[in-house]
């Protein structure tokens, strides 16, 4: 059995009692849903200051899946993987802690941090001093350093049990998904819209996706891939919609009817009008965009004010004051940079000498020649799909990627997870060579792999591996497939 103690995002802990209870209840339900979807037998228990996850499996594949869930679920500050032991004396508790940390502290500076609750004949400070002295005598630890030690020994003593922290898993932060309502995010697949969608999900908002197809199936497939990745990685506890609005005829109407300097602003107004219609159909109160002030001509503060005039919904712009490099850095951190960097683009409307000073009267005058029936037709043709089904169609190509549960001895496993994920839950296989190439380096390093043999790409949920395998096999080869681990039957009820 594995045990994890879930610590809430700090902002949750300062809420009122009723709000905190409600958010904790939602987070517990979200974790139960995610764990169940992975086929894992576990019990999620509620405490006032934390949640406890008891996993009825003890295999490495399950461990990796649980770590993935705990590090990517909104609402979690951090999680502690613990081993729990009964004890009678302080020395017995120390021996349990020493056995776990002896190798880690050898030759290094350290400090001991003990949290204690219950009735004992010693204080937390007494326990820290006793254990610190023991480590210095018996483990080869260098010395005690209270500020910035190389190793921090963590343990909690609760009544007659000592919980020794074996792993500290950094959480996503934010609020539990679904605790703050629902929004519609306008997504083009580029850096800005991807980060805006992620930030809303992390903040606890159930985020639906709306894509305006300006022409070309390649762009639509790419956007579906990145939207599915965001959902499956950070928001899979809730089902959301992916809406495609065909905008080719709207673009044509703008190109033929609207003054060139106003085209960019008019296009954004048409998109916001359409988004408002989609939001109404889904009963959503707010729309999210990836616009940042002054990034392009249509995003000056005066132009944004003119654009917002066409919509009664709240328009959220989480990137409004962010620098482009900061946005790109977030995209890299959340694992979406590869998607955004290779996203096909279709620039159907590029204004000549675009206006940067929004003039509502001039824009409305320019729109008079536009046939609003074209926009209504586009909305009527909009496609609504469940996000978990957007990659099921043959047009995605992913259904042709081979899935392997039991590798052949000659297969080479390529772990494409982020290095932080690998460090928290390394992949070790008895019969196969495992090499580590992060997904964001895969395309650049794939030519260094020997031609012979089959390569099985591995990531925790398989989505990223499928997309990359499909891309790498686009030359007609079948060298790349996907390795999907199987959960072993539970060892206890």
């Amino acid at each position: 059995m594995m045990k994890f103690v879930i610590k809430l995002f700090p902002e949750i802990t300062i809420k009122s009692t009723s709000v905190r209870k409600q958010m904790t209840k939602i987070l517990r339900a979200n974790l139960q849903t995610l764990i169940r979807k992975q086929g894992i037998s576990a019990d999620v228990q509620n405490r006032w200051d934390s949640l406890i996850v008891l996993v009825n499996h003890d295999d490495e594949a399950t461990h990796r899946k649980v770590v993935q869930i705990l590090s990517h679920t909104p609402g979690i500050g951090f999680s502690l993987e613990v081993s729990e032991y009964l004890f009678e004396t302080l020395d017995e508790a120390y021996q349990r802690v020493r056995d776990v940390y002896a190798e880690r502290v050898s030759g290094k500076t350290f400090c001991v941090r003990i949290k204690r609750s219950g009735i004992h004949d010693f204080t937390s400070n007494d326990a820290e001093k006793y254990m610190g002295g023991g480590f210095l005598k018996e483990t080869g630890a260098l010395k005690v350093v209270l500020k910035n030690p190389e190793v921090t020994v963590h343990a909690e003593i609760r009544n007659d049990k000592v919980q020794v922290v074996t792993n500290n898993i950094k959480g996503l932060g934010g609020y539990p998904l679904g605790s703050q309502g629902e929004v519609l995010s306008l997504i083009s697949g580029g850096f800005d819209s991807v980060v805006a969608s992620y930030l809303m999900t992390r903040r606890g908002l159930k985020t639906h996706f709306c894509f305006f197809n300006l022409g070309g199936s390649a762009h639509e497939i790419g956007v579906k891939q990145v939207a599915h990745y965001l959902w499956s990685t950070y928001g899979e506890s809730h089902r959301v919609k992916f809406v495609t609005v065909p905008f080719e005829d709207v673009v044509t109407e703008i190109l033929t009817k609207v003054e060139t300097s106003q085209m960019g602003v008019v296009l954004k107004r048409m998109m916001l009008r359409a988004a408002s219609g989609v939001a109404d159909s889904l009963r959503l109160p707010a729309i999210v965009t990836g616009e940042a002030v002054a990034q392009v001509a249509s995003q000056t503060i005066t132009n944004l004010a003119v654009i917002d005039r066409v919509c009664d919904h709240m328009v959220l712009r989480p990137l409004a004051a962010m620098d482009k490099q900061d946005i790109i850095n977030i995209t890299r951190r959340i694992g979406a940079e590869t998607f955004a960097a290779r996203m096909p683009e279709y620039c159907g409307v590029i204004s000549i000498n675009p206006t940067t000073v929004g003039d509502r009267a001039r824009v409305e005058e320019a729109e008079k020649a536009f046939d609003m029936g074209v926009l209504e037709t586009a909305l009527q043709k909009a496609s609504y799909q469940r996000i978990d089904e957007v990659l099921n169609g043959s047009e995605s190509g992913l259904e042709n990627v081979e899935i392997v549960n039991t590798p052949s001895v000659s297969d080479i496993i390529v772990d494409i997870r982020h290095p932080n994920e690998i460090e928290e839950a390394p992949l070790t296989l008895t019969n196969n060579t495992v090499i580590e190439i992060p997904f964001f380096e895969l395309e650049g390093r794939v030519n260094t792999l020997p031609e012979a043999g089959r390569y099985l790409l591995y990531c925790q949920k398989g989505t990223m591996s499928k997309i990359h395998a499909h891309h790498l096999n686009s030359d007609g080869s079948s060298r790349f497939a996907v390795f999907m681990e199987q959960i072993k039957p539970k060892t206890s009820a």
Side-chain angles (χ1 to χ4, degrees), residues 252-267:
T252 300
E253 187 74 6
I254 291 173
L255 289 171
T256 56
K257 302 287 184 63
V258 175
E259 178 192 345
T260 55
S261 66
Q262 304 295 333
M263 284 182 178
V265 173
V266 170
L267 176 62

Side-chain angles (χ1 to χ4, degrees), residues 216-273:
S217 60
H219 191 185
E220 181 176 353
I221 292 171
V223 175
K224 285 181 175 179
Q225 288 178 348
V226 70
H228 187 279
Y229 169 78
L230 289 174
W231 168 77
S232 65
T233 306
Y234 301 104
E236 197 175 15
S237 58
H238 290 69
R239 285 181 175 172
V240 298
K241 295 289 187 181
F242 185 95
V243 183
T244 302
V245 183
F247 241 51
E248 298 95 328
D249 291 343
V250 174
V251 169
T252 300
E253 187 74 6
I254 291 173
L255 289 171
T256 56
K257 302 287 184 63
V258 175
E259 178 192 345
T260 55
S261 66
Q262 304 295 333
M263 284 182 178
V265 173
V266 170
L267 176 62
K268 292 291 184 68
R269 281 165 62 96
M270 295 301 169
M271 287 180 171
L272 205 52
R273 285 186 174 103

Side-chain angles (χ1 to χ4, degrees), residues 109-111 113 143-153:
T109 61
F110 76 101
C111 74
R113 298 298 184 205
K143 63 177 180 178
V144 174
V145 175
L146 298 181
K147 186 176 182 180
N148 298 323
E150 293 177 270
V151 178
T152 300
V153 177

Side-chain angles (χ1 to χ4, degrees), residues 114-187:
I114 303 294
K115 291 185 66 175
R116 186 190 62 83
S117 63
I119 300 174
H120 305 95
D121 59 1
F122 57 85
T123 66
S124 297
N125 190 45
D126 292 336
E128 291 174 353
K129 290 180 178 179
Y130 184 88
M131 293 187 187
F135 274 101
L136 288 173
K137 291 179 181 178
E138 300 181 2
T139 66
L142 189 60
K143 63 177 180 178
V144 174
V145 175
L146 298 181
K147 186 176 182 180
N148 298 323
E150 293 177 270
V151 178
T152 300
V153 177
H154 284 289
E156 292 192 17
I157 293 175
R158 291 177 176 268
N159 299 316
D160 61 345
K161 295 178 181 177
V162 57
Q163 296 179 344
V164 187
V165 178
T166 59
N167 191 16
N168 190 321
I169 304 163
K170 184 179 180 180
L172 193 64
Y175 292 117
L177 189 57
S179 65
Q180 305 303 313
E182 304 181 39
V183 293
L184 180 71
S185 183
L186 309 191
I187 187 166

Side-chain angles (χ1 to χ4, degrees), residues 194-205 318-319 322 330:
V194 166
V195 172
S197 300
Y198 160 76
L199 290 176
M200 291 295 98
T201 299
R202 180 183 179 275
R203 201 62 180 173
L205 290 150
L319 311 187
M322 290 184 65
I330 293 175

Side-chain angles (χ1 to χ4, degrees), residues 20 38 70 110 123 127 140 156 302 331 380 390 418 434 488:
R20 179 172 177 169
Q38 291 296 317
L70 299 182
F110 76 101
T123 66
E156 292 192 17
T302 50
T331 316
Q380 291 169 9
V390 296
H418 192 283
V434 178
K488 294 180 181 179

